[in-house]
Amino acid sequence: GNRLWGCRYGVGDGNVPINEIYASALGDAYNWHRFEGVSTDSWTASINTPGAFTGAVCFNGNPVFFKENAIIKVYGSYPAEFTVTESKMRGVEIGSSESLATVGDCLYYKSTDGIVRYDGSIPQVIDQCLDSAGFKNAVAGSVGAKYYVSMTDRDGERSLYVYDSERKL
C-alpha cells in the first residue's frame, strides 16, 4: 500500500518496554509520526505476544510479522481500518528470518519444528524425513515451484536443501 512497515521489541526511553508494529505515512517512508486523522497517516499498534520479532513479510497483500511462537497479521487499507490478529502458532525461528520465501500461494520458512508451509491458516511441517529441527540459521529463496534453503547443522556445516512443492518432495 505504498507504506514502509516495521516492528520493534525492546526497551525505549525511560526503560519503557516496547512491543509494537509500525506503518509509515502513505507515500512517505521516512515519516513514522504523522497523526492528523487522515487516511495517509502513520500508524502504530502494541502487540500482546511477548518475545522478539523474528521475521516479517508481505503475504497475500498483507504485512505479516513473526515471533518464534506467533504469527501476527495486519489487515486493512488505511490506519482507521487496520486490524491486527495475533495467533499462537509456529513462527519463524530466531536466526532464520531470511528463510521466508513464497512458492506459489504458500509461504515457507524455518520454524523451531522444521521447515513449514503456511497458506494463511495453520503452518504445516513439510520436512519430517529431514528432521531439520536440529538445523538453524536458515537462508532461503524460491525459483518456480521449488523452495531452496541453506541451513547450519549441529556441527556448524551448511547444506543446501530443495523442496519441490509440485511433487511434495
Side-chain angles (χ1 to χ4, degrees), residues 8-10 17-21 45-51 53 67:
R8 183 173 175 203
Y9 180 80
I18 297 172
N19 191 10
E20 296 177 328
I21 292 176
S46 292
I47 303 303
N48 294 319
T49 305
F53 289 95
K67 295 188 175 208

Side-chain angles (χ1 to χ4, degrees), residues 38-74:
V38 295
S39 64
T40 58
D41 277 351
S42 306
W43 178 80
T44 303
S46 292
I47 303 303
N48 294 319
T49 305
F53 289 95
T54 58
V57 69
C58 183
F59 181 63
N60 290 336
N62 297 306
V64 181
F65 296 86
F66 295 89
K67 295 188 175 208
E68 267 196 337
N69 63 346
I71 298 175
I72 303 153
K73 299 181 211 176
V74 181

Side-chain angles (χ1 to χ4, degrees), residues 2 10 18 26-27 36 40 45-46 55 66 79 81 84 95 97 106-107 109 114 124 128 142 152 165 167 169:
N2 202 17
I18 297 172
L26 186 66
E36 299 170 351
T40 58
S46 292
F66 295 89
E81 185 185 77
V84 176
S97 63
C106 295
L107 182 66
Y109 58 88
Q124 301 294 318
Q128 293 86 348
S142 64
T152 305
S165 66
R167 293 179 180 79
L169 298 171

Side-chain angles (χ1 to χ4, degrees), residues 111-127:
S111 75
T112 55
D113 296 328
I115 302 296
V116 298
R117 176 181 51 241
Y118 177 65
D119 62 6
S121 59
I122 298 172
Q124 301 294 318
V125 175
I126 62 163
D127 66 348

